[in-house]
Amino acid sequence: MKFIRFFYLILFLVFVNCNSSKAVINATTSLSTLQKLAAINNVVHVEKRENTSHFDENYELWFEQAIDHNDASKGTFKQRVYLGFENPDKPVIVELRGYAIGSDKAGELAAHYEANQLTIEHRYFSKSRPQNIDWNTLTIENAAKDQTIIIDAIRDALYPNAKFVTTGISKGCQTTMAHRRFFPKNVDASVCYVGPLNYQREDPRVYSFLKSVGTEEDRKSIKNFQELCFKNRAALLETMRTKAKSEGMTWEFGIDNAIDYTILEYAFAFWQWGHDVHSIPGANNSIDTIYNHLIDVVGYGFFEDQSVKGLQPYFWAALTQQGIYGYETTPFKKYLNTDAVYKFDWAFPEGISKPYDLKPMQEIKSYLDRSAKKILFIYGAYDAWSATAVELQENASKRELYKFVKPKGDHKTRIKSFDKEQQDKIYSIIDAWLK
């Protein structure tokens, strides 16, 4: 009996010891990840977050970055980064945000591959915004250098043998293209969603697109609604004044301009976000119905002061390097008493402006045409930003450059938007890059 008791006691101790060891190993692994991140030279803060998606661990990191990578005397700012840690042997999907970080949940690629995800907030957006911005340091080159420093640091600390794939949506796609142009070997491949490549500040290809997208009947319905708005401009303006007063909204360029810009933006926004043409109100509808539909499509977020303040880095980049569009007024000349293109000059930061530089986007085009490798582009055919989509050379596939366009797709087009056959084709390309 004593021998049996001793035998079971030994088994119990072994069981407890094994489980205790496992707990210690898990704690050490978690702590080791945190320690490795905290040990990165220019990481000034690391915080463990609640787990999201499929990730085993989630972290928020703050990198201290040079305000100007070509002039250290200008000081530093802090840049926010999220890391979804899954496994050091799995790929790392790097989400290059063109704006702020919205979430630390897994994006389409990280979710599909159950991969690690590194999400980088763009310089000067949201919490990665210094108190006083030197606007001339907001360049695609400085941003690309920010991203390269972060990618290299995370690779060295946690993923020395993993494949890295950058990805970005819209302005994030522009950011991804620029990063590859300046640092073509920093990652293994890239997947870009719905991003424009503009060649002028007000790229006229947008105007041609809006005159040909969809059916003639659809385009006529959209133009008729804009005319309906201009005919009822006084009543719509009064409604906007009432809304502005109750919600504390203001417009730097004045509410009179705000209503005109909102009506002019309607066509672009309608196609960009894929609204239903059958939802467009007619002349027999009330002013409230017309106004509500106009705002439902356009929103306040592109022109209203507080929104513009948050988007100021976007407007600076668009007006100085990355391009945007304007609004043709010729179709509405009788309402506006002008046929001049309405522009976004008013969106420059107060007290500063700068001429548009054609060179950066032309250099990206040249890079894509001549030497870029392993980049896949996703677009929606009806998305207004497809007006200035990347155009690939005929031999681009030899360098593993691909472009997939979803018929009638809008700015929300993703890989999951395609039919299964196309999805399989897209993922087979990315699979090969990750091997």
Side-chain angles (χ1 to χ4, degrees), residues 261-317:
Y261 269 77
T262 301
I263 297 169
L264 291 170
E265 168 68 14
Y266 177 83
F268 190 98
F270 189 95
W271 291 110
Q272 180 181 4
W273 297 113
H275 290 276
D276 182 0
V277 72
H278 297 102
S279 69
I280 299 175
N284 58 333
N285 287 103
S286 68
I287 291 298
D288 281 347
T289 299
I290 295 169
Y291 182 85
N292 289 338
H293 175 75
L294 175 65
I295 298 303
D296 181 55
V297 172
V298 179
Y300 296 111
F302 211 32
F303 308 118
E304 197 273 332
D305 279 348
Q306 287 304 308
S307 299
V308 170
K309 184 178 179 181
L311 284 173
Q312 200 86 74
Y314 163 75
F315 284 118
W316 176 267

Side-chain angles (χ1 to χ4, degrees), residues 80-97:
R80 181 169 58 162
V81 173
Y82 282 163
L83 175 67
F85 181 87
E86 170 60 20
N87 186 311
D89 297 321
K90 286 192 173 184
V92 181
I93 306 301
V94 185
E95 293 213 345
L96 297 183
R97 295 299 172 95

Side-chain angles (χ1 to χ4, degrees), residues 208-247:
S208 301
F209 177 90
L210 293 176
K211 293 171 184 173
S212 60
V213 62
T215 67
E216 184 177 355
E217 184 179 359
D218 289 346
R219 296 193 300 274
K220 186 176 180 181
S221 295
I222 291 167
K223 185 173 182 292
N224 286 345
F225 179 74
Q226 289 176 290
E227 287 197 335
L228 177 64
C229 288
F230 277 121
K231 288 175 183 176
N232 291 277
R233 181 183 183 280
L236 294 175
L237 180 59
E238 191 57 37
T239 302
M240 183 174 272
R241 287 188 199 281
T242 302
K243 296 285 186 182
K245 187 175 181 180
S246 65
E247 298 178 27

